[in-house]
Amino acid sequence: SQPNASAGPDQFLCTPTTSTTLAANGFIFPASGTWTILSGTGTFSDINDPNATVTGLSVGVNSFRWTINNGACANGISNDIVDIYLYDQN
């Protein structure tokens, strides 16, 4: 059966690093997964890739939501949030 969304573990980074690889769980076709930005900044290499690279992170907390949409099934939509903390080295 379709797993509930898991956005992966929170990450703690320090400048000059401003990118990372996300670690969400996969999904079973024809379901789809999508990353969205809740706060902070970031550009996803592919908003539908659970292991997308996100670049352009801002100092502070960057929160991203991973949503799995399993259509008409019971509990068809699940989501989870990951926080990427970027600390300023200077």
Side-chain angles (χ1 to χ4, degrees), residues 20-25 27 32-37 42-55 64-67:
T20 191
T21 300
L22 300 170
N25 64 326
F27 48 87
S32 62
T34 308
W35 286 107
T36 52
I37 298 172
T43 301
F44 303 104
S45 58
D46 178 347
I47 65 166
N48 303 118
D49 180 354
N51 303 119
T53 298
V54 61
T55 58
F64 307 120
R65 177 187 290 133
W66 175 242
T67 301

Side-chain angles (χ1 to χ4, degrees), residues 6-86:
S6 172
D10 289 351
Q11 297 184 37
F12 303 87
L13 309 171
C14 190
T15 61
T17 300
T18 58
S19 66
T20 191
T21 300
L22 300 170
N25 64 326
F27 48 87
I28 302 166
F29 184 82
S32 62
T34 308
W35 286 107
T36 52
I37 298 172
L38 297 179
S39 67
T41 61
T43 301
F44 303 104
S45 58
D46 178 347
I47 65 166
N48 303 118
D49 180 354
N51 303 119
T53 298
V54 61
T55 58
L57 297 169
S58 56
V59 170
V61 182
N62 301 272
S63 295
F64 307 120
R65 177 187 290 133
W66 175 242
T67 301
I68 293 179
N69 184 339
N70 198 29
C73 296
N75 300 317
I77 295 178
S78 67
N79 57 68
D80 189 38
I81 296 168
V82 61
D83 292 326
I84 311 296
Y85 296 84
L86 181 58

